[in-house]
Amino acid sequence: MVVSNINPHNKEIVVRRRIASIFNKREDDFPSLREYNDYLEEVEDMIFNLVAGDDVAATEVKIAEYQEENADLILINHARKAEELALAMSASKGPPAQTDNTDGSSQGISVGAGQYAPTIVGGQPRPTGIAPQPVPLRGGPDMHGYLEDEETMRIRTENASRAAGWSIEFSKKRGFEEAFASFCF
């Protein structure tokens, strides 16, 4: 397998995935921890050789020989990993959702921890988290539903500005100070 014309980071990922799918023994497959660690070291050496481009031909021969000799064990370990993944997925789902109605309808569903609620309950879609559009501050209806005229909007804006600490006099004073500060005397 040639992986020389791709990004070095991606190349390592591709090589590691390929080697991990072939050299998939686990610690329980070895009589001692020492033998397992030697196996892992050999696998890491092969990965390094393939990524760095060192002795690639000999490494590929070693991989092909191992794959041919251990084809059954590789398939068994793939199946074992798939079974463990399926078991973990079913365990993470928890108990199935219970219905409160005897007719089996979806109303009144109780959802256990780690489960998602159904997207449609009782014919109504579940909210997706999109907030309603905000009411405009100006020009829209006031809290009683009446449209504001220009004078009411001006007074409301001035009151809000004053409440926030802003005043027209302060703005004028600051404008003059900034303008005169720019002169060089």
Side-chain angles (χ1 to χ4, degrees):
M1 177 179 186
V2 177
V3 288
S4 60
N5 58 351
I6 59 176
N7 181 341
H9 179 67
N10 291 340
K11 181 178 179 181
E12 182 175 357
I13 292 171
V14 169
V15 168
R16 282 191 179 279
R17 284 184 182 159
R18 176 177 166 235
I19 297 300
S21 71
I22 298 168
F23 293 87
N24 57 3
K25 288 185 179 179
R26 300 178 182 191
E27 188 176 347
D28 356 335
D29 296 331
F30 294 91
S32 70
L33 181 61
R34 175 74 177 166
E35 290 179 31
Y36 177 63
N37 286 337
D38 290 343
Y39 168 79
L40 291 179
E41 188 174 344
E42 185 180 350
V43 169
E44 283 299 318
D45 288 342
M46 285 188 272
I47 291 170
F48 177 80
N49 288 344
L50 292 174
V51 171
D54 297 340
D55 203 18
V56 175
T59 305
E60 288 291 348
V61 168
K62 192 186 293 187
I63 293 170
E65 288 174 358
Y66 178 86
Q67 197 170 10
E68 188 176 315
E69 292 171 4
N70 298 300
D72 292 335
L73 182 62
I74 292 170
L75 288 175
I76 289 169
N77 285 338
H78 277 288
R80 184 169 68 172
K81 185 175 182 179
E83 287 174 3
E84 289 172 355
L85 181 62
L87 183 65
M89 292 288 289
S90 66
S92 70
K93 289 182 181 177
Q98 302 294 321
T99 59
D100 294 335
N101 297 349
T102 56
D103 63 351
S105 66
S106 62
Q107 294 183 1
I109 293 178
S110 63
V111 179
Q115 290 183 320
Y116 289 107
T119 56
I120 296 180
V121 176
Q124 295 294 322
R126 183 171 47 112
T128 59
I130 299 173
Q133 293 297 319
V135 178
L137 293 176
R138 296 185 193 155
D142 66 359
M143 64 168 49
H144 301 293
Y146 300 111
L147 288 176
E148 297 178 339
D149 61 345
E150 290 292 321
E151 181 64 20
T152 308
M153 285 191 313
R154 186 185 62 75
I155 292 171
R156 185 172 294 208
T157 303
E158 286 178 10
N159 289 342
S161 300
R162 233 179 283 120
W166 181 85
S167 71
I168 190 71
E169 292 80 24
F170 181 74
S171 293
K172 287 180 184 177
K173 180 180 175 188
R174 181 172 178 185
F176 281 122
E177 287 176 357
E178 289 178 359
F180 285 114
S182 64
F183 292 135
C184 295
F185 290 105

